PDB file of all heavy atoms in Angstrom:
ATOM      1  N   ALA A 144     -74.656 -54.503  93.320  1.00  0.00           N
ATOM      2  CA  ALA A 144     -74.472 -55.200  92.053  1.00  0.00           C
ATOM      3  C   ALA A 144     -72.985 -55.396  91.774  1.00  0.00           C
ATOM      4  O   ALA A 144     -72.175 -54.496  91.991  1.00  0.00           O
ATOM      5  CB  ALA A 144     -75.124 -54.405  90.926  1.00  0.00           C
ATOM      6  N   GLY A 145     -72.657 -56.587  91.318  1.00  0.00           N
ATOM      7  CA  GLY A 145     -71.262 -56.942  91.079  1.00  0.00           C
ATOM      8  C   GLY A 145     -70.605 -57.616  92.259  1.00  0.00           C
ATOM      9  O   GLY A 145     -69.495 -58.153  92.130  1.00  0.00           O
ATOM     10  N   GLY A 146     -71.262 -57.610  93.393  1.00  0.00           N
ATOM     11  CA  GLY A 146     -70.706 -58.205  94.598  1.00  0.00           C
ATOM     12  C   GLY A 146     -70.929 -59.699  94.672  1.00  0.00           C
ATOM     13  O   GLY A 146     -71.467 -60.318  93.753  1.00  0.00           O
ATOM     14  N   SER A 147     -70.516 -60.258  95.807  1.00  0.00           N
ATOM     15  CA  SER A 147     -70.580 -61.703  96.005  1.00  0.00           C
ATOM     16  C   SER A 147     -71.184 -62.035  97.360  1.00  0.00           C
ATOM     17  O   SER A 147     -71.093 -61.244  98.313  1.00  0.00           O
ATOM     18  CB  SER A 147     -69.170 -62.308  95.929  1.00  0.00           C
ATOM     19  OG  SER A 147     -68.573 -62.060  94.683  1.00  0.00           O
ATOM     20  N   LEU A 148     -71.775 -63.204  97.425  1.00  0.00           N
ATOM     21  CA  LEU A 148     -72.284 -63.766  98.682  1.00  0.00           C
ATOM     22  C   LEU A 148     -72.074 -65.270  98.641  1.00  0.00           C
ATOM     23  O   LEU A 148     -72.056 -65.872  97.555  1.00  0.00           O
ATOM     24  CB  LEU A 148     -73.767 -63.462  98.883  1.00  0.00           C
ATOM     25  CG  LEU A 148     -74.188 -62.068  99.332  1.00  0.00           C
ATOM     26  CD1 LEU A 148     -75.712 -61.963  99.318  1.00  0.00           C
ATOM     27  CD2 LEU A 148     -73.639 -61.729 100.693  1.00  0.00           C
ATOM     28  N   ARG A 149     -71.962 -65.856  99.829  1.00  0.00           N
ATOM     29  CA  ARG A 149     -71.873 -67.308  99.935  1.00  0.00           C
ATOM     30  C   ARG A 149     -72.961 -67.789 100.879  1.00  0.00           C
ATOM     31  O   ARG A 149     -72.968 -67.474 102.058  1.00  0.00           O
ATOM     32  CB  ARG A 149     -70.501 -67.741 100.444  1.00  0.00           C
ATOM     33  CG  ARG A 149     -70.272 -69.255 100.471  1.00  0.00           C
ATOM     34  CD  ARG A 149     -68.833 -69.551 100.851  1.00  0.00           C
ATOM     35  NE  ARG A 149     -68.494 -70.965 100.770  1.00  0.00           N
ATOM     36  CZ  ARG A 149     -68.440 -71.775 101.819  1.00  0.00           C
ATOM     37  NH1 ARG A 149     -68.715 -71.309 103.027  1.00  0.00           N
ATOM     38  NH2 ARG A 149     -68.124 -73.043 101.670  1.00  0.00           N
ATOM     39  N   LEU A 150     -73.884 -68.565 100.299  1.00  0.00           N
ATOM     40  CA  LEU A 150     -74.954 -69.150 101.095  1.00  0.00           C
ATOM     41  C   LEU A 150     -74.531 -70.528 101.580  1.00  0.00           C
ATOM     42  O   LEU A 150     -73.836 -71.259 100.866  1.00  0.00           O
ATOM     43  CB  LEU A 150     -76.230 -69.266 100.269  1.00  0.00           C
ATOM     44  CG  LEU A 150     -76.762 -67.987  99.621  1.00  0.00           C
ATOM     45  CD1 LEU A 150     -78.076 -68.295  98.897  1.00  0.00           C
ATOM     46  CD2 LEU A 150     -76.929 -66.882 100.608  1.00  0.00           C
ATOM     47  N   SER A 151     -74.982 -70.869 102.768  1.00  0.00           N
ATOM     48  CA  SER A 151     -74.718 -72.190 103.321  1.00  0.00           C
ATOM     49  C   SER A 151     -76.019 -72.787 103.829  1.00  0.00           C
ATOM     50  O   SER A 151     -76.933 -72.069 104.227  1.00  0.00           O
ATOM     51  CB  SER A 151     -73.707 -72.104 104.462  1.00  0.00           C
ATOM     52  OG  SER A 151     -72.453 -71.665 103.999  1.00  0.00           O
ATOM     53  N   CYS A 152     -76.058 -74.106 103.812  1.00  0.00           N
ATOM     54  CA  CYS A 152     -77.219 -74.826 104.313  1.00  0.00           C
ATOM     55  C   CYS A 152     -76.721 -76.026 105.095  1.00  0.00           C
ATOM     56  O   CYS A 152     -75.940 -76.825 104.582  1.00  0.00           O
ATOM     57  CB  CYS A 152     -78.098 -75.276 103.156  1.00  0.00           C
ATOM     58  SG  CYS A 152     -79.477 -76.343 103.635  1.00  0.00           S
ATOM     59  N   ALA A 153     -77.200 -76.131 106.320  1.00  0.00           N
ATOM     60  CA  ALA A 153     -76.846 -77.258 107.169  1.00  0.00           C
ATOM     61  C   ALA A 153     -78.086 -78.098 107.411  1.00  0.00           C
ATOM     62  O   ALA A 153     -79.119 -77.579 107.832  1.00  0.00           O
ATOM     63  CB  ALA A 153     -76.276 -76.759 108.491  1.00  0.00           C
ATOM     64  N   ALA A 154     -77.972 -79.382 107.124  1.00  0.00           N
ATOM     65  CA  ALA A 154     -79.087 -80.309 107.296  1.00  0.00           C
ATOM     66  C   ALA A 154     -78.862 -81.160 108.539  1.00  0.00           C
ATOM     67  O   ALA A 154     -77.744 -81.594 108.814  1.00  0.00           O
ATOM     68  CB  ALA A 154     -79.223 -81.206 106.074  1.00  0.00           C
ATOM     69  N   SER A 155     -79.918 -81.403 109.263  1.00  0.00           N
ATOM     70  CA  SER A 155     -79.824 -82.245 110.458  1.00  0.00           C
ATOM     71  C   SER A 155     -81.069 -83.120 110.563  1.00  0.00           C
ATOM     72  O   SER A 155     -82.068 -82.872 109.892  1.00  0.00           O
ATOM     73  CB  SER A 155     -79.671 -81.382 111.711  1.00  0.00           C
ATOM     74  OG  SER A 155     -80.802 -80.551 111.889  1.00  0.00           O
ATOM     75  N   GLY A 156     -80.989 -84.111 111.385  1.00  0.00           N
ATOM     76  CA  GLY A 156     -82.128 -84.986 111.607  1.00  0.00           C
ATOM     77  C   GLY A 156     -81.977 -86.354 110.963  1.00  0.00           C
ATOM     78  O   GLY A 156     -82.665 -87.292 111.323  1.00  0.00           O
ATOM     79  N   ARG A 157     -81.114 -86.422 109.964  1.00  0.00           N
ATOM     80  CA  ARG A 157     -80.795 -87.696 109.339  1.00  0.00           C
ATOM     81  C   ARG A 157     -79.548 -87.496 108.490  1.00  0.00           C
ATOM     82  O   ARG A 157     -79.105 -86.358 108.306  1.00  0.00           O
ATOM     83  CB  ARG A 157     -81.950 -88.222 108.486  1.00  0.00           C
ATOM     84  CG  ARG A 157     -82.370 -87.302 107.354  1.00  0.00           C
ATOM     85  CD  ARG A 157     -83.304 -87.988 106.389  1.00  0.00           C
ATOM     86  NE  ARG A 157     -82.606 -89.036 105.667  1.00  0.00           N
ATOM     87  CZ  ARG A 157     -83.180 -89.803 104.769  1.00  0.00           C
ATOM     88  NH1 ARG A 157     -84.472 -89.675 104.504  1.00  0.00           N
ATOM     89  NH2 ARG A 157     -82.494 -90.745 104.140  1.00  0.00           N
ATOM     90  N   THR A 158     -79.043 -88.566 107.914  1.00  0.00           N
ATOM     91  CA  THR A 158     -77.881 -88.473 107.044  1.00  0.00           C
ATOM     92  C   THR A 158     -78.328 -88.364 105.595  1.00  0.00           C
ATOM     93  O   THR A 158     -79.201 -89.108 105.154  1.00  0.00           O
ATOM     94  CB  THR A 158     -76.989 -89.718 107.213  1.00  0.00           C
ATOM     95  OG1 THR A 158     -76.565 -89.802 108.577  1.00  0.00           O
ATOM     96  CG2 THR A 158     -75.775 -89.629 106.307  1.00  0.00           C
ATOM     97  N   PHE A 159     -77.705 -87.423 104.870  1.00  0.00           N
ATOM     98  CA  PHE A 159     -78.063 -87.205 103.474  1.00  0.00           C
ATOM     99  C   PHE A 159     -76.894 -87.513 102.539  1.00  0.00           C
ATOM    100  O   PHE A 159     -76.782 -86.922 101.470  1.00  0.00           O
ATOM    101  CB  PHE A 159     -78.505 -85.751 103.281  1.00  0.00           C
ATOM    102  CG  PHE A 159     -79.787 -85.416 103.973  1.00  0.00           C
ATOM    103  CD1 PHE A 159     -79.787 -84.678 105.143  1.00  0.00           C
ATOM    104  CD2 PHE A 159     -81.003 -85.853 103.467  1.00  0.00           C
ATOM    105  CE1 PHE A 159     -80.969 -84.373 105.788  1.00  0.00           C
ATOM    106  CE2 PHE A 159     -82.190 -85.549 104.096  1.00  0.00           C
ATOM    107  CZ  PHE A 159     -82.174 -84.809 105.264  1.00  0.00           C
ATOM    108  N   SER A 160     -76.057 -88.433 102.939  1.00  0.00           N
ATOM    109  CA  SER A 160     -74.852 -88.706 102.157  1.00  0.00           C
ATOM    110  C   SER A 160     -75.161 -89.236 100.764  1.00  0.00           C
ATOM    111  O   SER A 160     -74.332 -89.139  99.867  1.00  0.00           O
ATOM    112  CB  SER A 160     -73.965 -89.699 102.901  1.00  0.00           C
ATOM    113  OG  SER A 160     -74.673 -90.896 103.147  1.00  0.00           O
ATOM    114  N   SER A 161     -76.356 -89.793 100.540  1.00  0.00           N
ATOM    115  CA  SER A 161     -76.702 -90.321  99.222  1.00  0.00           C
ATOM    116  C   SER A 161     -77.881 -89.575  98.604  1.00  0.00           C
ATOM    117  O   SER A 161     -78.617 -90.130  97.788  1.00  0.00           O
ATOM    118  CB  SER A 161     -77.008 -91.814  99.314  1.00  0.00           C
ATOM    119  OG  SER A 161     -78.099 -92.036 100.180  1.00  0.00           O
ATOM    120  N   HIS A 162     -78.065 -88.329  99.001  1.00  0.00           N
ATOM    121  CA  HIS A 162     -79.184 -87.541  98.499  1.00  0.00           C
ATOM    122  C   HIS A 162     -78.675 -86.262  97.841  1.00  0.00           C
ATOM    123  O   HIS A 162     -77.872 -85.539  98.435  1.00  0.00           O
ATOM    124  CB  HIS A 162     -80.129 -87.170  99.637  1.00  0.00           C
ATOM    125  CG  HIS A 162     -80.841 -88.336 100.231  1.00  0.00           C
ATOM    126  ND1 HIS A 162     -82.189 -88.535 100.056  1.00  0.00           N
ATOM    127  CD2 HIS A 162     -80.401 -89.368 100.966  1.00  0.00           C
ATOM    128  CE1 HIS A 162     -82.551 -89.643 100.678  1.00  0.00           C
ATOM    129  NE2 HIS A 162     -81.477 -90.168 101.239  1.00  0.00           N
ATOM    130  N   PRO A 163     -79.148 -85.946  96.654  1.00  0.00           N
ATOM    131  CA  PRO A 163     -78.768 -84.683  96.028  1.00  0.00           C
ATOM    132  C   PRO A 163     -79.304 -83.501  96.837  1.00  0.00           C
ATOM    133  O   PRO A 163     -80.349 -83.590  97.485  1.00  0.00           O
ATOM    134  CB  PRO A 163     -79.450 -84.731  94.662  1.00  0.00           C
ATOM    135  CG  PRO A 163     -79.754 -86.166  94.432  1.00  0.00           C
ATOM    136  CD  PRO A 163     -80.017 -86.746  95.779  1.00  0.00           C
ATOM    137  N   MET A 164     -78.565 -82.397  96.781  1.00  0.00           N
ATOM    138  CA  MET A 164     -78.958 -81.184  97.469  1.00  0.00           C
ATOM    139  C   MET A 164     -78.910 -80.031  96.479  1.00  0.00           C
ATOM    140  O   MET A 164     -78.208 -80.093  95.461  1.00  0.00           O
ATOM    141  CB  MET A 164     -78.014 -80.903  98.649  1.00  0.00           C
ATOM    142  CG  MET A 164     -77.941 -82.028  99.656  1.00  0.00           C
ATOM    143  SD  MET A 164     -76.820 -81.701 101.040  1.00  0.00           S
ATOM    144  CE  MET A 164     -77.804 -80.535 101.985  1.00  0.00           C
ATOM    145  N   GLY A 165     -79.633 -78.979  96.773  1.00  0.00           N
ATOM    146  CA  GLY A 165     -79.632 -77.872  95.834  1.00  0.00           C
ATOM    147  C   GLY A 165     -80.262 -76.615  96.393  1.00  0.00           C
ATOM    148  O   GLY A 165     -80.572 -76.533  97.586  1.00  0.00           O
ATOM    149  N   TRP A 166     -80.432 -75.659  95.486  1.00  0.00           N
ATOM    150  CA  TRP A 166     -80.984 -74.352  95.846  1.00  0.00           C
ATOM    151  C   TRP A 166     -82.065 -73.940  94.860  1.00  0.00           C
ATOM    152  O   TRP A 166     -81.934 -74.151  93.648  1.00  0.00           O
ATOM    153  CB  TRP A 166     -79.879 -73.287  95.847  1.00  0.00           C
ATOM    154  CG  TRP A 166     -78.858 -73.486  96.911  1.00  0.00           C
ATOM    155  CD1 TRP A 166     -77.718 -74.228  96.815  1.00  0.00           C
ATOM    156  CD2 TRP A 166     -78.881 -72.943  98.233  1.00  0.00           C
ATOM    157  NE1 TRP A 166     -77.030 -74.185  98.004  1.00  0.00           N
ATOM    158  CE2 TRP A 166     -77.722 -73.409  98.884  1.00  0.00           C
ATOM    159  CE3 TRP A 166     -79.761 -72.122  98.924  1.00  0.00           C
ATOM    160  CZ2 TRP A 166     -77.426 -73.069 100.208  1.00  0.00           C
ATOM    161  CZ3 TRP A 166     -79.474 -71.786 100.234  1.00  0.00           C
ATOM    162  CH2 TRP A 166     -78.310 -72.262 100.867  1.00  0.00           C
ATOM    163  N   PHE A 167     -83.107 -73.339  95.406  1.00  0.00           N
ATOM    164  CA  PHE A 167     -84.151 -72.697  94.631  1.00  0.00           C
ATOM    165  C   PHE A 167     -84.209 -71.244  95.087  1.00  0.00           C
ATOM    166  O   PHE A 167     -83.639 -70.877  96.113  1.00  0.00           O
ATOM    167  CB  PHE A 167     -85.512 -73.364  94.878  1.00  0.00           C
ATOM    168  CG  PHE A 167     -85.650 -74.730  94.271  1.00  0.00           C
ATOM    169  CD1 PHE A 167     -85.013 -75.837  94.818  1.00  0.00           C
ATOM    170  CD2 PHE A 167     -86.447 -74.923  93.145  1.00  0.00           C
ATOM    171  CE1 PHE A 167     -85.142 -77.097  94.271  1.00  0.00           C
ATOM    172  CE2 PHE A 167     -86.601 -76.183  92.588  1.00  0.00           C
ATOM    173  CZ  PHE A 167     -85.949 -77.276  93.155  1.00  0.00           C
ATOM    174  N   ARG A 168     -84.925 -70.418  94.340  1.00  0.00           N
ATOM    175  CA  ARG A 168     -85.146 -69.045  94.776  1.00  0.00           C
ATOM    176  C   ARG A 168     -86.526 -68.576  94.344  1.00  0.00           C
ATOM    177  O   ARG A 168     -87.095 -69.088  93.388  1.00  0.00           O
ATOM    178  CB  ARG A 168     -84.070 -68.114  94.222  1.00  0.00           C
ATOM    179  CG  ARG A 168     -84.097 -67.940  92.710  1.00  0.00           C
ATOM    180  CD  ARG A 168     -82.905 -67.106  92.250  1.00  0.00           C
ATOM    181  NE  ARG A 168     -82.894 -66.917  90.801  1.00  0.00           N
ATOM    182  CZ  ARG A 168     -81.914 -66.328  90.134  1.00  0.00           C
ATOM    183  NH1 ARG A 168     -80.840 -65.868  90.785  1.00  0.00           N
ATOM    184  NH2 ARG A 168     -81.986 -66.197  88.825  1.00  0.00           N
ATOM    185  N   GLN A 169     -87.020 -67.600  95.075  1.00  0.00           N
ATOM    186  CA  GLN A 169     -88.328 -67.037  94.742  1.00  0.00           C
ATOM    187  C   GLN A 169     -88.255 -65.535  94.887  1.00  0.00           C
ATOM    188  O   GLN A 169     -88.036 -65.004  95.990  1.00  0.00           O
ATOM    189  CB  GLN A 169     -89.429 -67.605  95.643  1.00  0.00           C
ATOM    190  CG  GLN A 169     -90.823 -67.174  95.239  1.00  0.00           C
ATOM    191  CD  GLN A 169     -91.888 -67.992  95.929  1.00  0.00           C
ATOM    192  OE1 GLN A 169     -91.649 -68.670  96.918  1.00  0.00           O
ATOM    193  NE2 GLN A 169     -93.105 -67.940  95.385  1.00  0.00           N
ATOM    194  N   ALA A 170     -88.420 -64.852  93.769  1.00  0.00           N
ATOM    195  CA  ALA A 170     -88.444 -63.401  93.759  1.00  0.00           C
ATOM    196  C   ALA A 170     -89.869 -62.915  94.005  1.00  0.00           C
ATOM    197  O   ALA A 170     -90.834 -63.651  93.770  1.00  0.00           O
ATOM    198  CB  ALA A 170     -87.940 -62.878  92.411  1.00  0.00           C
ATOM    199  N   PRO A 171     -90.031 -61.678  94.469  1.00  0.00           N
ATOM    200  CA  PRO A 171     -91.372 -61.149  94.736  1.00  0.00           C
ATOM    201  C   PRO A 171     -92.266 -61.236  93.505  1.00  0.00           C
ATOM    202  O   PRO A 171     -91.874 -60.814  92.404  1.00  0.00           O
ATOM    203  CB  PRO A 171     -91.101 -59.693  95.111  1.00  0.00           C
ATOM    204  CG  PRO A 171     -89.711 -59.698  95.654  1.00  0.00           C
ATOM    205  CD  PRO A 171     -88.977 -60.723  94.849  1.00  0.00           C
ATOM    206  N   GLY A 172     -93.452 -61.792  93.683  1.00  0.00           N
ATOM    207  CA  GLY A 172     -94.415 -61.875  92.602  1.00  0.00           C
ATOM    208  C   GLY A 172     -94.139 -62.961  91.574  1.00  0.00           C
ATOM    209  O   GLY A 172     -94.847 -63.054  90.569  1.00  0.00           O
ATOM    210  N   LYS A 173     -93.110 -63.775  91.848  1.00  0.00           N
ATOM    211  CA  LYS A 173     -92.758 -64.833  90.891  1.00  0.00           C
ATOM    212  C   LYS A 173     -92.818 -66.197  91.566  1.00  0.00           C
ATOM    213  O   LYS A 173     -92.818 -66.301  92.785  1.00  0.00           O
ATOM    214  CB  LYS A 173     -91.358 -64.590  90.327  1.00  0.00           C
ATOM    215  CG  LYS A 173     -91.241 -63.319  89.494  1.00  0.00           C
ATOM    216  CD  LYS A 173     -89.874 -63.229  88.839  1.00  0.00           C
ATOM    217  CE  LYS A 173     -89.768 -62.000  87.956  1.00  0.00           C
ATOM    218  NZ  LYS A 173     -88.442 -61.903  87.291  1.00  0.00           N
ATOM    219  N   GLU A 174     -92.848 -67.233  90.741  1.00  0.00           N
ATOM    220  CA  GLU A 174     -92.854 -68.584  91.266  1.00  0.00           C
ATOM    221  C   GLU A 174     -91.439 -68.986  91.686  1.00  0.00           C
ATOM    222  O   GLU A 174     -90.448 -68.447  91.203  1.00  0.00           O
ATOM    223  CB  GLU A 174     -93.387 -69.556  90.214  1.00  0.00           C
ATOM    224  CG  GLU A 174     -94.840 -69.348  89.861  1.00  0.00           C
ATOM    225  CD  GLU A 174     -95.370 -70.427  88.932  1.00  0.00           C
ATOM    226  OE1 GLU A 174     -94.550 -71.244  88.457  1.00  0.00           O
ATOM    227  OE2 GLU A 174     -96.579 -70.466  88.694  1.00  0.00           O
ATOM    228  N   ARG A 175     -91.387 -69.955  92.578  1.00  0.00           N
ATOM    229  CA  ARG A 175     -90.098 -70.475  92.992  1.00  0.00           C
ATOM    230  C   ARG A 175     -89.433 -71.168  91.800  1.00  0.00           C
ATOM    231  O   ARG A 175     -90.071 -71.923  91.074  1.00  0.00           O
ATOM    232  CB  ARG A 175     -90.273 -71.448  94.149  1.00  0.00           C
ATOM    233  CG  ARG A 175     -88.989 -71.910  94.797  1.00  0.00           C
ATOM    234  CD  ARG A 175     -89.255 -72.775  96.034  1.00  0.00           C
ATOM    235  NE  ARG A 175     -89.979 -72.028  97.061  1.00  0.00           N
ATOM    236  CZ  ARG A 175     -90.187 -72.491  98.288  1.00  0.00           C
ATOM    237  NH1 ARG A 175     -89.708 -73.675  98.654  1.00  0.00           N
ATOM    238  NH2 ARG A 175     -90.860 -71.774  99.157  1.00  0.00           N
ATOM    239  N   GLU A 176     -88.135 -70.894  91.600  1.00  0.00           N
ATOM    240  CA  GLU A 176     -87.427 -71.492  90.485  1.00  0.00           C
ATOM    241  C   GLU A 176     -86.166 -72.199  90.958  1.00  0.00           C
ATOM    242  O   GLU A 176     -85.535 -71.799  91.944  1.00  0.00           O
ATOM    243  CB  GLU A 176     -87.072 -70.439  89.429  1.00  0.00           C
ATOM    244  CG  GLU A 176     -86.056 -69.403  89.878  1.00  0.00           C
ATOM    245  CD  GLU A 176     -85.630 -68.472  88.745  1.00  0.00           C
ATOM    246  OE1 GLU A 176     -86.066 -68.662  87.588  1.00  0.00           O
ATOM    247  OE2 GLU A 176     -84.839 -67.547  89.029  1.00  0.00           O
ATOM    248  N   PHE A 177     -85.809 -73.221  90.209  1.00  0.00           N
ATOM    249  CA  PHE A 177     -84.584 -73.959  90.471  1.00  0.00           C
ATOM    250  C   PHE A 177     -83.379 -73.075  90.158  1.00  0.00           C
ATOM    251  O   PHE A 177     -83.385 -72.306  89.195  1.00  0.00           O
ATOM    252  CB  PHE A 177     -84.560 -75.207  89.593  1.00  0.00           C
ATOM    253  CG  PHE A 177     -83.213 -75.844  89.455  1.00  0.00           C
ATOM    254  CD1 PHE A 177     -82.714 -76.630  90.475  1.00  0.00           C
ATOM    255  CD2 PHE A 177     -82.450 -75.646  88.319  1.00  0.00           C
ATOM    256  CE1 PHE A 177     -81.463 -77.221  90.352  1.00  0.00           C
ATOM    257  CE2 PHE A 177     -81.211 -76.229  88.183  1.00  0.00           C
ATOM    258  CZ  PHE A 177     -80.708 -77.023  89.203  1.00  0.00           C
TER     259      PHE A 177
END
Side-chain angles (χ1 to χ4, degrees):
S147 300
L148 283 174
R149 185 174 186 260
L150 304 183
S151 295
C152 173
S155 62
R157 60 168 292 179
T158 300
F159 293 104
S160 58
S161 60
H162 293 250
M164 303 180 75
W166 293 89
F167 288 74
R168 67 186 180 186
Q169 187 167 17
K173 295 186 177 181
E174 294 186 352
R175 188 174 298 189
E176 67 174 356
F177 163 78

